[in-house]
């Protein structure tokens, strides 16, 4: 048979072409008619019924993520009784009564720190990650008749890498911040709307040479206090720091007098003093801070003790959080664990100190009685205890409890409970608790009733995302070893299960099965993980294991999808291969899972795959920017298909193939999604709409952007609508079955963003 030359046919417009960064040839379909083809447009304005996205809800809370050190003391009640916190690059205001959110969009990278002005209880300050990170002051109350949270002030230029701590003074006029540069530079500002940096900056100086975990303003003494690795340090403004040198010089000259400023231009305006620990201990790791109404500083240490400082000297030490007994895998109970969070505030008619530790207990203390107890040489005990471990899923994983680097090198380092808090804040009646595992709880200060959980989210790198084929539901799977099912209509978590290892992909079984199963592929960034390459099928409601085929590959699963007819399931692997298994019928009328095809041919890890509408073919792309095709059968002869799994090397023969999904990021129909200068790794995920003419496609990229394009997207560097909210690489994205929602997954920001599909002007 004579070979076909695809460059010689009756249509001069459907010749193949190359485009960057795709390494193959893009073949237009045979019905493509060139520049006059109606598909040659990137105009979104006339599409019906949707042509835009609006952020509706953020599933997540940033206490712990993969981008920065833990974010502490970042959860507050504002004046309106709403919760204020952050996730990804968004400031979030949450109404617990209506389950509604407002979002502050001013940041362009991960928010690392947050504080609230205690005077007006509305003004918020947030600091972010970045080469030259921004500090933004904004209001947590929307503008009248709007959902917009207004920006009040921008501060930048004094920090590098990240702003790891921010704090308001008691009167709300001053701001302190600390950066992640080598000197952990501390800055103090007298902030104001429309003020220049020169007018706002009071002073900048060195803060510490090692990790800093917390930064607070003492509301009584007006000193700034920072806690960190083997460090408690106090900062303040020197005499003359607030002087207007130019104004004073003019006044002196006017009166015929000379003027000598208190501080020279080169002299630091900030003083610093080290906290003095007891001689029996020496400097300790300080993870949390609180202040009483007399100005005493309470510091939670890495060894389970609460230190009290009067002025800058320790005068009292309380052993606070003992390790649980050996039955939970902890050491003997004579040891103590980190005090991870502190809060001082009213409870009924009395002020109390509340602490949390790696033991997962919330302890309430009466500091006003400590001096009397110490005089009697009795042991100081908490006045109330609450075991939060009873309400947090035991399968979640806490953080390493010891602060030394040697602990990280151990194969099984000692870890705290997932109920340990990084943020505590109260309103006199209730206590907000932000945990290590990115969950938000509210606990009555009576400590007599179960807590209410307002937010749950992933806490390690997130990649796996899929939509239910028939319901407003999605599933996510992450490297925190959890799989979670979300209700998109009610914007809540529906179920969660702990997996035997990290995961980066998941999918539902197709519509013909009513989505009864969830398949999940295991494996993550750790190449030595024993579950890499393993995959499971779970019941989509109970999340119990249905099938666990033998492990035949030992690098991570990158993508997994059922065929549209539910006869097959394909698994793409980081070892450059793809496996296809036969799938039993949900009613048990077929045999169990069996590997029926093994495809090899990619030059790098296979990261996306799509099934053809007829369930007989696959398209896959890999890290080497290839797009390859695979067939389970030979072309039919006399209407009979012969089973022969093989690679289809003639890409031109696949130009008219209809694909059930479009998650592969290369090919003719998605040429235009690639921006100019892209290197091939910029786009991580893609999804085509599901209803009508399927005229939309969304992408998720390395720059924190979600982008909406027209589909097919064949105009080079096509026009699109970009949306921000994520702070790092957006790893995956998907349309819901009815195209009412788009859901995106943030990799290291671990947030799940739910976007409403809308009609924009």
């Amino acid at each position: 048979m004579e070979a076909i030359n695809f460059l010689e046919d009756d249509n001069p417009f459907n010749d193949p072409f190359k485009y960057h960064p795709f390494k193959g040839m893009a073949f237009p379909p045979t019905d493509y008619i060139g520049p006059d083809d109606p598909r040659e447009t990137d105009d979104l304005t006339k599409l019906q019924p949707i042509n835009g996205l609006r952020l509706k809800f953020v599933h997540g809370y940033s206490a712990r993520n993969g981008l920065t050190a833990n974010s502490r003391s970042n959860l507050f009640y504002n004046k309106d009784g709403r919760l204020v916190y952050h996730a990804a690059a968004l400031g979030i205001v949450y109404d617990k009564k209506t389950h509604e959110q407002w979002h502050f969009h001013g940041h362009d990278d991960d928010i690392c720190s947050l504080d609230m002005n205690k005077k007006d209880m509305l003004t918020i300050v947030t600091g972010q990650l970045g080469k030259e990170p921004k500090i933004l002051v904004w209001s947590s109350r929307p503008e009248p008749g709007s959902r917009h949270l207004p920006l009040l002030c921008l501060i930048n230029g004094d920090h590098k890498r990240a702003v790891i701590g921010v704090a308001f003074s008691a009167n709300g006029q001053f701001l302190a911040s600390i950066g992640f540069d080598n000197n952990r530079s501390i800055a103090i500002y007298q902030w104001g709307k429309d003020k220049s940096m020169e007018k706002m900056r009071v002073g900048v100086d060195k803060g510490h040479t090692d990790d800093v975990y917390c930064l607070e303003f003492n509301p009584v003494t007006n000193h700034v206090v920072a806690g960190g690795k083997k460090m408690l340090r106090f900062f303040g403004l020197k005499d003359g720091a607030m002087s207007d040198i130019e104004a004073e010089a003019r006044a002196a000259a006017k009166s015929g007098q000379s003027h000598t400023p208190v501080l020279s231009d080169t002299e630091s305006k900030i003083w610093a003093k080290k906290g003095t620990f007891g001689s029996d201990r020496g400097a300790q790791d300080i993870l949390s801070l609180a202040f009483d109404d007399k100005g005493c500083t309470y510091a939670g240490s890495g060894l389970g003790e609460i230190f009290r400082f009067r002025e800058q000297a320790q005068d009292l030490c309380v052993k606070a959080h003992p390790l649980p007994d050996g039955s939970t895998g902890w050491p003997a109970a004579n040891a103590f664990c980190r005090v991870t969070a502190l809060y001082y505030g009213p409870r009924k008619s009395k002020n109390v100190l509340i602490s949390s530790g790696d033991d997962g207990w919330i302890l309430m203390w009466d500091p006003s009685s400590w001096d009397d107890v110490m005089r009697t040489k009795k042991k100081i005990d908490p006045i109330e205890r609450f075991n939060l471990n009873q309400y947090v899923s035991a399968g979640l994983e806490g953080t390493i409890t010891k602060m030394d680097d040697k602990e990280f090198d151990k194969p099984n380092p000692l870890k705290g409970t997932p109920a340990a808090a990084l943020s505590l804040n109260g309103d006199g009646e209730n206590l907000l608790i932000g945990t290590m595992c990115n969950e938000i709880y509210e606990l009555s200060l009576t400590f007599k009733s179960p807590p209410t959980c307002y937010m749950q989210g992933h806490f390690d790198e997130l990649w796996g995302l899929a939509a239910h084929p028939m319901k407003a539901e999605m599933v996510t799977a992450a490297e925190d070893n959890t799989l979670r099912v979300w209700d998109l209509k009610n914007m809540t978590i529906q179920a969660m299960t702990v997996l035997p290892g990290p995961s980066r992909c998941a999918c539902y079984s197709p519509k013909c099965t009513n989505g009864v199963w969830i398949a999940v592929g295991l494996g993550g960034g750790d190449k030595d993980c024993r579950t890499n390459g393993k995959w499971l099928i779970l019941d989509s409601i109970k999340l119990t294991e249905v099938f666990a085929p033998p492990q035949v590959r030992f690098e991570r699963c990158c993508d997994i999808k059922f065929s549209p007819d539910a006869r097959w399931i394909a698994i793409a692997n980081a070892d450059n291969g793809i496996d296809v298994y036969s799938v039993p019928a949900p009613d048990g009328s077929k045999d169990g899972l069996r590997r029926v095809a093994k495809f090899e041919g990619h030059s790098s890890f296979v990261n996306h795959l799509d099934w053809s509408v007829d369930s007989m073919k696959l398209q896959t792309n890999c890290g080497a920017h290839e797009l390859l095709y695979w067939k389970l059968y030979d072309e039919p002869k006399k209407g009979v298909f012969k089973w022969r799994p093989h690679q289809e090397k003639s890409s031109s023969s696949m130009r008219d193939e209809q694909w059930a999904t479009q998650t592969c990021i290369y090919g003719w129909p998605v040429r235009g999604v690639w921006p100019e200068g892209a290197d091939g790794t910029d786009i991580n995920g893609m999804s085509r709409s599901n209803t009508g003419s399927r005229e939309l496609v969304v992408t998720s990229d390395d720059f924190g952007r979600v982008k909406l394009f027209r589909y097919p997207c064949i105009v080079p560097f096509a026009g699109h609508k970009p949306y921000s909210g994520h702070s790092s690489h957006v790893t995956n994205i998907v349309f819901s079955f009815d195209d009412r929602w788009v859901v995106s997954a943030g990799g290291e920001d671990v947030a799940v963003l739910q976007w409403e599909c809308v009609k924009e002007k």
Side-chain angles (χ1 to χ4, degrees):
M1 178 178 176
E2 186 177 349
I4 297 174
N5 184 350
F6 51 72
L7 296 175
E8 297 177 2
D9 55 28
D10 296 332
N11 185 349
F13 296 110
N14 66 359
D15 291 342
F17 59 89
K18 295 182 73 70
Y19 67 86
H20 184 78
F22 178 35
K23 299 299 184 186
M25 300 288 286
F27 287 83
T30 54
D31 62 355
Y32 175 69
I33 59 173
D36 296 328
D37 194 292
R39 292 166 289 192
E40 279 281 353
T41 178
D42 56 7
D43 184 10
L44 288 161
T45 59
K46 298 179 182 179
L47 289 181
Q48 297 287 348
I50 56 174
N51 67 351
L53 304 177
R54 180 188 300 131
L55 182 61
K56 187 70 173 179
F57 204 85
V58 177
H59 303 273
Y61 156 64
S62 288
R64 170 182 169 195
N65 59 39
L67 288 163
T68 60
N70 296 333
S71 297
R72 303 171 185 274
S73 300
N74 61 353
L75 175 62
F76 297 91
Y77 291 105
N78 75 358
K79 190 174 184 177
D80 301 321
R82 292 168 175 159
L83 279 59
V84 181
Y85 55 97
H86 63 87
L90 297 164
I92 300 173
V93 178
Y94 172 71
D95 192 316
K96 61 184 183 180
K97 296 178 181 178
T98 62
H99 192 56
E100 185 179 11
Q101 288 182 349
W102 291 260
H103 307 110
F104 175 70
H105 286 267
H107 287 281
D108 53 19
D109 213 326
D110 190 69
I111 297 176
C112 311
S113 50
L114 179 148
D115 193 31
M116 183 176 71
N117 183 340
K118 311 305 189 300
K119 186 174 182 180
D120 67 13
M121 295 186 65
L122 286 173
T123 306
I124 308 298
V125 59
T126 42
Q128 71 168 63
L129 188 75
K131 187 176 181 180
E132 293 189 355
K134 296 185 291 189
I135 299 170
L136 300 181
V137 182
W138 49 280
S139 175
S140 61
R141 179 179 285 174
E143 293 176 335
S146 167
R147 298 190 60 80
H148 179 246
L149 299 175
L151 173 67
L152 304 177
C153 181
L154 164 65
I155 298 171
N156 64 355
D158 291 329
H159 294 300
K160 303 294 182 184
R161 301 176 189 160
V163 179
I164 55 177
V166 288
F168 276 109
S169 62
N171 63 10
Q173 295 180 13
F174 291 88
L175 272 175
S177 61
I178 197 159
F180 198 49
D181 57 278
N182 293 343
N183 293 318
R184 306 299 190 271
S185 297
I186 185 167
I188 297 178
Y189 305 95
Q190 189 174 28
W191 74 278
K193 194 172 184 179
D194 300 324
K195 289 176 68 175
S196 67
M197 281 298 301
E198 289 72 20
K199 294 291 185 182
M200 290 190 289
R201 185 188 296 110
V202 179
V204 181
D205 206 344
K206 295 179 181 179
H208 188 43
T209 56
D210 213 325
D211 291 336
V212 175
Y213 305 125
C214 46
L215 181 78
E216 301 283 352
F217 251 106
N218 187 319
V220 178
T221 67
N222 220 28
H223 296 156
V224 180
V225 186
K229 194 165 187 178
K230 305 297 181 187
M231 182 272 277
L232 182 68
R233 193 162 292 183
F234 298 81
F235 303 91
L237 295 178
K238 295 178 181 178
D239 292 339
M242 296 303 298
S243 300
D244 188 333
I245 298 175
E246 292 182 2
E248 291 176 356
R250 286 195 300 269
K254 189 174 182 180
S255 61
Q257 299 176 352
S258 62
H259 175 260
T260 303
V262 177
L263 299 173
S264 68
D265 291 340
T266 58
E267 188 176 355
S268 173
K269 296 182 178 182
I270 299 174
W271 60 258
K273 294 183 180 179
K274 292 182 179 179
T276 305
F277 291 83
S279 58
D280 57 330
R281 286 179 179 80
Q284 299 292 309
D285 294 330
I286 299 300
L287 289 84
S288 49
L289 295 167
F291 309 94
D292 66 18
D293 45 12
K294 296 179 181 178
C296 291
T297 300
Y298 297 89
S301 83
L303 295 178
E305 298 163 318
I306 299 175
F307 297 109
R308 186 179 71 185
F309 286 78
R310 292 187 190 275
E311 298 295 334
Q312 288 93 39
Q314 175 206 324
D315 74 334
L316 190 146
C317 172
V318 176
K319 293 186 180 298
H321 287 269
L323 297 179
D325 61 40
S327 64
T328 60
W330 290 68
N334 60 356
F336 286 77
C337 59
R338 298 180 301 179
V339 181
T340 55
L342 288 173
Y343 165 74
Y344 183 90
R347 183 225 191 189
K348 297 182 180 178
S349 59
K350 192 172 187 177
N351 286 329
V352 294
L353 179 69
I354 298 175
S355 65
S356 174
D358 277 318
D359 57 355
W361 283 74
I362 306 295
L363 304 182
M364 185 183 295
W365 310 83
D366 178 13
S368 65
S369 68
W370 285 5
D371 286 328
D372 292 336
V373 175
M374 289 299 290
R375 277 193 289 269
T376 63
K377 297 183 179 180
K378 292 182 179 179
K379 181 177 178 287
I380 296 177
D381 289 319
I383 57 175
E384 297 281 358
R385 295 178 172 89
F386 189 86
N387 185 6
L388 191 61
N389 296 294
Q390 297 177 354
Y391 303 95
V392 176
S393 300
L396 302 182
E397 212 172 65
T399 57
I400 296 174
T401 60
K402 290 188 178 181
M403 310 298 288
D404 60 274
D405 295 335
K406 293 180 181 179
E407 192 71 18
F408 289 89
D409 297 329
K410 294 181 180 179
N412 295 298
L414 182 63
K415 294 186 177 181
T417 70
L422 286 173
S423 185
L424 298 172
N425 185 263
D427 64 357
E429 295 182 359
N430 298 300
L431 181 73
L432 283 178
I433 305 168
T435 72
M436 291 275 190
C437 291
N438 294 348
E439 297 182 334
I440 297 176
Y441 293 87
E442 184 180 63
L443 174 66
S444 168
L445 282 172
T446 63
F447 280 21
K448 303 300 182 186
S449 55
T452 301
C453 183
Y454 288 121
M455 182 58 61
Q456 291 178 283
H458 288 285
F459 54 89
D460 206 343
E461 194 163 355
L462 171 61
W463 286 78
L465 173 66
H468 194 284
M470 300 175 67
K471 297 191 293 186
E473 178 181 303
M474 66 173 177
V475 62
T476 55
E479 294 197 18
D480 60 8
N481 296 10
T482 68
L483 180 140
R484 302 169 191 247
V485 176
W486 309 82
D487 181 337
L488 296 178
K489 180 180 179 181
N490 296 308
M491 294 175 287
T492 57
I493 190 168
Q494 189 168 293
M496 185 193 77
T497 190
V498 177
L499 299 169
S503 173
R504 286 199 174 187
C505 57
C507 69
Y508 283 92
S509 58
K511 185 176 181 179
C512 60
T513 69
N514 297 319
V516 296
W517 291 334
I518 294 174
V520 55
L522 302 182
D526 182 2
K527 292 185 177 181
D528 297 326
C529 180
R530 61 180 177 80
T531 56
N532 279 356
K534 187 175 176 61
W535 61 279
L536 312 168
I537 292 181
L538 310 177
D539 182 287
S540 65
I541 296 175
K542 300 176 182 177
L543 299 187
T544 52
E545 186 178 295
V546 180
F547 299 105
Q551 187 173 354
V552 296
R553 293 185 186 267
F554 299 93
E555 293 193 38
R556 70 175 182 270
C557 299
C558 300
D559 199 4
I560 189 167
K561 286 188 179 72
F562 286 92
S563 63
D565 63 4
R567 292 183 63 194
W568 321 107
I569 185 169
I571 306 95
N573 197 273
D575 68 1
N576 309 356
I578 306 117
D579 292 323
V580 177
Y581 284 72
S582 59
V583 178
D587 60 7
S589 60
K590 290 184 180 179
D591 294 334
L593 292 170
R594 182 170 58 89
R595 185 162 69 163
V596 296
K598 177 182 176 183
F599 295 130
E600 308 285 349
H602 274 291
S603 304
S604 184
F605 58 91
V606 185
N607 48 13
H608 300 101
L609 65 86
D610 295 301
W611 281 98
S612 59
V613 171
D614 63 10
S615 300
M616 294 183 177
K617 308 167 195 75
L618 284 165
Q619 66 172 356
T620 57
N621 63 243
C622 72
H625 321 313
E626 302 167 342
L627 177 66
L628 302 184
Y629 300 99
W630 316 88
K631 290 184 176 180
L632 297 181
Y633 298 89
D634 275 333
E635 291 301 314
K637 294 181 179 180
K638 299 182 179 180
V640 177
F641 288 91
K642 181 181 179 182
W643 178 262
R644 189 176 72 89
H646 64 282
Q647 180 182 353
E648 176 52 71
K649 295 188 177 182
S650 173
S651 298
S652 64
S653 67
M654 306 296 290
R655 67 198 315 163
D656 293 322
E657 194 64 46
Q658 298 298 307
W659 300 101
T661 55
Q662 181 67 60
T663 61
C664 285
I665 56 179
Y666 301 115
W668 177 83
V670 293
R671 170 193 184 179
V673 305
W674 289 95
E676 193 169 5
D679 68 359
T681 64
D682 297 334
I683 296 177
N684 300 305
M686 177 180 290
S687 178
R688 184 185 61 197
S689 56
N690 296 304
T691 59
S693 301
R694 311 181 83 171
E695 293 179 303
L696 292 170
V697 65
V698 284
T699 64
S700 56
D701 66 30
D702 270 355
F703 309 106
R705 297 283 182 173
V706 166
K707 294 180 180 179
L708 181 70
F709 297 84
R710 190 157 181 156
Y711 184 87
C713 186
I714 58 176
V715 177
F717 318 129
H720 59 276
K721 294 183 178 181
Y723 301 92
S724 61
H726 287 287
S727 60
S728 64
H729 55 289
V730 190
T731 54
N732 212 336
I733 195 161
V734 67
F735 275 97
S736 63
F737 82 103
D738 57 358
D739 292 340
R740 183 180 176 186
W741 306 103
V742 164
V743 180
S744 56
E748 292 186 331
D749 68 36
V750 301
V752 177
L753 271 56
Q754 183 173 339
W755 308 81
E756 185 178 15
C757 298
V758 296
K759 177 64 178 177
E760 293 180 342
K761 294 182 180 179

